[in-house]
Structure formats: C-alpha cells, structure tokens
Amino acid sequence: MQLIGEYQHNLDTKGRVNFPAKLREALGAGFMLCKGLGDSCLFVYSMEEWEKLSQKINSQPMAKAKKLQRFLFSGATMAEPDKQGRILIPQNLRAYANLEKDVVIVGAANRAEIWDLETWNKNSQLLTAQMIEQELEDMDF
C-alpha cells in the first residue's frame, strides 16, 4: 500500500504527536522512525520496509556502508501508537528535524515523513511544475 496524504498536527509538551489513522493503518502496529536522508525531516518506515532497507545497507561492504549505518541506525527508534494514536518522537530526532510545535506528516510512497511545518512550506514553495516535469522526464515518464 502506498502512503499518501498531508496531515498537520501539533507536538505536545512531551514530544508526542497524533499520527494520522490512514498512515497508521498502512504502516502497521509499530513502525520505525529515523533521520531523513538529505532533508531536515524524519523518515517513517513500516517494519517490512525497514527490514528491506536494513538488508540492502548491510549487504554493502563495510567501507561503503558504515557512515550510512551510523547515520540511520544510531538515531532510529520503534514507534508504537498509544490508544489515542499518538507516537513519542525522541528528543534527538525532534532536534534533528527542528520539530517544536507545528508539524506536517506526509505520505511519500513507501515511507512517511515528519516535517516542521515552516520548513515543509518553504521546501514546497521551491518546487515548480517545470521541476517536477523535468524529474518525470529524467525517469522516462
């Protein structure tokens, strides 16, 4: 199942956020949070996708994979929504993604992403139809 949609929520004072029900259903009872690659956001993977990613990284030679292993795995944590559908985002991951209050949780095909609202809005404004068209063209669409 593809993860889709954009959902705005607030972090509470304990670092919890209500995780969208549609994304929870697709991700399963527990899922992995880790630092996002290339952006100041968090990636959210189902356990199945996390296992695929882990296997692919771990199949690489140590010299090639060790930096990526450290980056992804050192800060990764399993999230299990509580009865209200909230997950706790650890302080180290909140700091990495600059999450303080207003957040956006977006579906991004095989993963979800958690962004600071202001950062998400700035990045979204940078995307133009021409840029997307060029990306599609580069992928032979």
Side-chain angles (χ1 to χ4, degrees):
M1 174 180 244
Q2 296 288 312
L3 299 168
I4 60 173
E6 180 178 322
Y7 310 87
Q8 292 187 19
H9 290 281
N10 295 323
L11 280 175
D12 68 15
T13 57
K14 295 180 181 176
R16 297 175 301 190
V17 65
N18 188 358
F19 205 84
K22 289 184 179 183
L23 296 180
R24 286 196 317 265
E25 290 170 16
L27 289 165
F31 38 88
M32 296 299 294
L33 299 177
C34 67
K35 297 173 186 173
L37 297 173
D39 289 305
S40 293
C41 69
L42 302 180
F43 285 179
V44 183
Y45 291 100
S46 68
M47 295 310 291
E48 181 183 341
E49 286 295 322
W50 181 254
E51 189 59 34
K52 286 181 196 175
L53 178 66
S54 297
Q55 287 178 0
K56 192 166 193 171
I57 293 169
N58 290 332
S59 70
Q60 301 299 309
M62 178 66 77
K64 189 174 181 181
K66 67 182 176 182
K67 290 179 184 175
L68 183 56
Q69 288 170 328
R70 288 179 192 139
F71 180 82
L72 279 181
F73 300 138
S74 67
T77 188
M78 183 166 179
E80 295 183 63
D82 64 15
K83 291 177 183 176
Q84 288 81 36
R86 298 172 301 188
I87 62 167
L88 175 65
I89 302 175
Q91 176 55 40
N92 64 316
L93 293 178
R94 291 194 314 263
Y96 174 80
N98 301 312
L99 304 177
E100 293 182 16
K101 183 163 174 52
D102 299 320
V103 300
V104 178
I105 302 169
V106 298
N110 71 331
R111 69 177 183 276
E113 297 177 351
I114 304 174
W115 288 80
D116 166 70
L117 177 61
E118 188 176 328
T119 305
W120 170 257
N121 287 338
K122 285 178 185 173
N123 282 344
S124 295
Q125 290 170 356
L126 296 176
L127 295 177
T128 65
Q130 292 83 6
M131 290 171 65
I132 300 302
E133 183 178 38
Q134 184 60 53
E135 290 286 330
L136 289 171
E137 199 174 293
D138 291 346
M139 295 189 309
D140 292 329
F141 273 89

